[in-house]
Structure formats: structure tokens, C-alpha cells
Amino acid sequence: MRTELSDGHWRGVQQGWLVGPDGRRYVRRTTRTRRKEGDRLVVDGAPLVLVYWAGNQLDRLDGIDAHEQWQTTRPRVTTEEPRRKGDIEWTAGRWEDDEGRPLLLLTGHC
């Protein structure tokens, strides 16, 4: 399922935290998650959040929607500094709730 998150969520992400629609509060743990780790997180059912800085937009995906979006986005995920030329590139970060349940957050750079 794909859900567009509100402006309040946007401000939280800028500060390093995010409250999901389920009420769980996630905090940033890493900002340079590798593709293989992303594969594992998505297969294990972690929610996927896409951050589009240019449009102040956040989308949260679960289940098959998260898996399909990850497969589309995965080739453009980088652990290096994005070049910001041409197609959008993504950095991936692992976020966790208080119980250690992960969320994979992708930040788009163009």
C-alpha cells in the first residue's frame, strides 16, 4: 500500500525522526545503507519511505508496493555523494523504532 505522508511528517524527517501511520516513531540510525542491506530489509517486510526533497513529498510503501518500488529504485541507490546530474539518485538510510523494527528511507537527489 502506498500512502502520502503529511507536512508534519516532513518536518520530522528533517529532524531525524518519523511517525508512521501505525503510530510507531522511527529515528535515523544510518544514512548510507547498502543495496544488499536494503534487499534484506524489504524482503523481511520493512516499510519503505521515499523522500522527494524538491517537492517536499514523502511516500510510505508497505508489502508488495514496497518490494516493487525497491526493485525500480535499487539500481540508482548510492552510498557515495550523489552527483546531482541527470537522473535521480537515491541514498538509503536505516531507521528504527523503539523496539528495533526497521524502516528503509530513500532520499532522492537530482
Side-chain angles (χ1 to χ4, degrees), residues 5 11 16 24 29 43 47 76 79 81 83 92-93 100:
L5 301 177
R11 286 186 296 277
R24 291 184 185 151
R29 295 292 180 219
V43 165
R76 296 182 309 237
T79 57
E81 190 66 28
R83 292 183 307 263

Side-chain angles (χ1 to χ4, degrees), residues 16-80:
W17 58 270
L18 173 68
V19 176
D22 56 4
R24 291 184 185 151
R25 186 176 192 273
Y26 296 89
V27 294
R28 181 176 36 238
R29 295 292 180 219
T30 66
T31 58
R32 297 289 188 239
T33 302
R34 296 187 178 278
R35 292 180 189 146
K36 282 190 175 193
E37 174 69 3
D39 291 340
R40 189 182 65 74
L41 292 171
V42 171
V43 165
D44 288 347
L48 179 66
V49 173
L50 301 175
V51 177
Y52 301 96
W53 287 106
N56 289 356
Q57 180 182 347
L58 290 172
D59 289 333
R60 183 180 194 269
L61 300 98
D62 291 311
I64 192 70
D65 292 328
H67 181 74
E68 289 174 354
Q69 183 65 54
W70 174 247
Q71 293 306 311
T72 300
T73 310
R74 184 187 189 279
R76 296 182 309 237
V77 170
T78 181
T79 57
E80 304 296 322

Side-chain angles (χ1 to χ4, degrees), residues 12-13 15-20 24-31 93-105:
V13 166
Q15 297 171 10
W17 58 270
L18 173 68
V19 176
R24 291 184 185 151
R25 186 176 192 273
Y26 296 89
V27 294
R28 181 176 36 238
R29 295 292 180 219
T30 66
T31 58
R94 180 187 174 107
W95 294 46
E96 294 179 358
D97 69 8
D98 292 338
E99 297 177 16
R101 289 178 289 214
L103 172 143
L104 183 61
L105 188 133

